[in-house]
Amino acid sequence: MYNSETLHPVMPYDPNALLRKRFEDALKDGRPEAIRELACKWSIDANISDAELDSRVEQAMWAATLVLAGTGKPGRKPRIDFFLMHLLTSSLFLPTFMRAIRKTEDKARVLRAYVSTFLVITLIRGRPRIDAELMMSYSATPTPPNEKGGNERETNPWLPLVHSAIYAPESHVAKSIRALFYAAQHYGETEAGKVVGAFDSSGKEILPGAAKLDGTVFVRAAGILMDALGWVGHGQAVGDWDRSGLGWDGAWENSD
């Protein structure tokens, strides 16, 4: 998507554009056809094995986490986009769908619909670019404000994360932490260089810095999410989701 000359965000950036307007503007000028063509390149067919299906689901959860939490700007306060967040929370249901749907071709159809939706939502948010090195610069042992971080081997960072998410007044916070916790349980032991989809067939990184990504991505993402939305279970004020369209450079002008 990043290399496509067609799937570029609509210019100029309009900070006041409503979601419907962003959809209408984005789905013009050959972009729907380009999205369908790109989605078809994701290797899914009616003969795909269960192991390969599991791999596609895993790819979806990695990608959703990275596009949500790894698309900020170095040296700037992280932002958590409200619409990109739904790519993460919806990815959690893919494993259940894969178990519940009987026909392999129907499973493939669901996955292809997911990746098409992923591309559309990313496009209407300004096609934010994943920065793998920035993602890995966030803390792997996030702690609530005013609390000292303990020894990594002695402290489970998920305990305060889940505790604070339970008390969050906005339900999407808990849903997001739930999805990240699930991903951490299943893929959290992934070593650097072993992330599914991080390299192309020639062994080249799909994204700069992708070789450094590991299973700590999910807890790092959870930490910056709580920093942005507020560790309300630990006395911090409630934060808010970002709706600026952070993929556009203009969304970062005149901000912290």
Side-chain angles (χ1 to χ4, degrees):
M1 185 181 193
Y2 294 151
N3 294 330
S4 172
E5 296 181 1
T6 302
L7 295 175
H8 57 80
V10 174
M11 297 297 288
Y13 167 65
D14 180 0
N16 299 313
L18 298 177
L19 185 64
R20 179 178 177 179
K21 181 69 163 55
R22 294 205 192 281
F23 270 114
E24 292 175 347
D25 289 347
L27 298 179
K28 296 177 180 178
D29 303 322
R31 292 189 184 91
E33 293 78 11
I35 287 171
R36 283 194 290 269
E37 180 180 354
L38 192 57
C40 287
K41 292 183 178 181
W42 203 33
S43 180
I44 307 171
D45 58 47
N47 298 315
I48 193 169
S49 68
D50 288 341
E52 289 175 314
L53 281 169
D54 290 342
S55 176
R56 301 302 182 273
V57 170
E58 181 178 351
Q59 281 183 320
M61 299 200 78
W62 279 97
T65 300
L66 291 170
V67 80
L68 176 66
T71 48
K73 300 286 187 183
R76 309 293 290 274
K77 184 178 179 181
R79 297 183 183 181
I80 305 296
D81 184 274
F82 179 75
F83 302 98
L84 295 176
M85 170 269 294
H86 286 82
L87 297 176
L88 172 65
T89 56
S90 60
S91 73
L92 178 60
F93 295 92
L94 291 176
T96 301
F97 290 159
M98 294 303 103
R99 290 192 298 269
I101 298 172
R102 295 183 178 182
K103 294 183 179 180
T104 302
E105 58 265 33
D106 291 335
K107 295 180 181 183
R109 188 174 294 113
V110 168
L111 287 172
R112 200 175 302 287
Y114 176 84
V115 75
S116 298
T117 302
F118 190 108
L119 296 173
V120 172
I121 298 298
T122 302
L123 181 61
I124 67 169
R125 306 318 294 159
R127 195 173 64 173
R129 288 185 172 268
I130 295 169
D131 186 333
E133 293 187 356
L134 178 64
M135 181 74 253
M136 292 303 291
S137 73
Y138 300 131
S139 176
T141 55
T143 55
N146 303 320
E147 291 189 19
K148 296 181 179 180
N151 184 292
E152 185 174 355
R153 291 175 297 180
E154 300 174 356
T155 303
N156 181 350
W158 285 105
L159 296 177
L161 285 166
V162 172
H163 172 80
S164 212
I166 290 172
Y167 288 96
E170 210 287 311
S171 63
H172 290 95
V173 176
K175 294 177 183 179
S176 298
I177 294 298
R178 177 180 62 180
L180 291 169
F181 185 51
Y182 175 94
Q185 286 179 309
H186 288 77
Y187 319 123
E189 299 299 319
T190 304
E191 298 177 356
K194 302 294 185 180
V195 174
V196 60
F199 303 93
D200 64 19
S201 58
S202 68
K204 181 182 178 181
E205 290 179 319
I206 292 293
L207 299 167
K212 298 179 182 179
L213 295 171
D214 63 24
T216 63
V217 158
F218 305 107
V219 72
R220 294 175 195 268
I224 65 166
L225 188 149
M226 294 309 302
D227 287 345
L229 276 299
W231 296 77
V232 295
H234 294 79
Q236 194 174 46
V238 176
D240 199 2
W241 301 97
D242 185 76
R243 291 176 170 81
S244 66
L246 52 81
W248 281 278
D249 289 337
W252 295 86
E253 294 177 359
N254 303 318
S255 63
D256 56 10

